[in-house]
Amino acid sequence: MDYGMIGKREKARRYAQERERIRFQTFTVTVEGENNTHVVQFDHGKWQCDCEFFRSRGVCSHTMALEIVLENMLTQPINS
């Protein structure tokens, strides 16, 4: 039995439960919308989405959904 790995798995479970430990800095995901699949990016506090609504408003349902999913896990913009 690999006792070192057992300890690491226990620590991983604890970290996963303590979500405040985790901060996303950059990532790219796809969000399957009702009409199309959209590419959403997050880079050090700034969102980007390839949908038309985001281009005109700077926010959209795709970015808002990810903010809800990742609540308290995103880095803040550098100038805030």
Side-chain angles (χ1 to χ4, degrees):
M1 188 174 253
D2 186 346
Y3 291 104
M5 186 58 81
I6 291 170
K8 293 297 181 188
R9 288 183 186 196
E10 289 172 1
K11 187 183 276 188
R13 283 189 194 99
R14 189 175 77 242
Y15 287 170
Q17 290 173 342
E18 299 170 1
R19 294 173 55 132
E20 67 277 1
R21 291 178 173 267
I22 300 168
R23 296 281 184 274
F24 287 94
Q25 294 179 10
T26 62
F27 60 83
T28 301
V29 299
T30 57
V31 177
E32 293 184 27
E34 291 179 355
N35 300 308
N36 294 306
T37 299
H38 295 283
V39 176
V40 179
Q41 296 176 315
F42 181 81
D43 188 0
H44 293 89
K46 297 192 183 215
W47 288 102
Q48 191 70 347
C49 181
D50 66 358
C51 76
E52 287 295 323
F53 196 89
F54 185 89
R55 282 181 232 167
S56 65
R57 305 275 178 96
V59 67
C60 64
S61 58
H62 314 111
T63 59
M64 288 187 281
L66 288 167
E67 285 178 325
I68 293 167
V69 169
L70 300 172
E71 185 177 13
N72 299 323
M73 297 176 70
L74 300 172
T75 58
Q76 297 300 315
I78 293 171
N79 57 1
S80 56

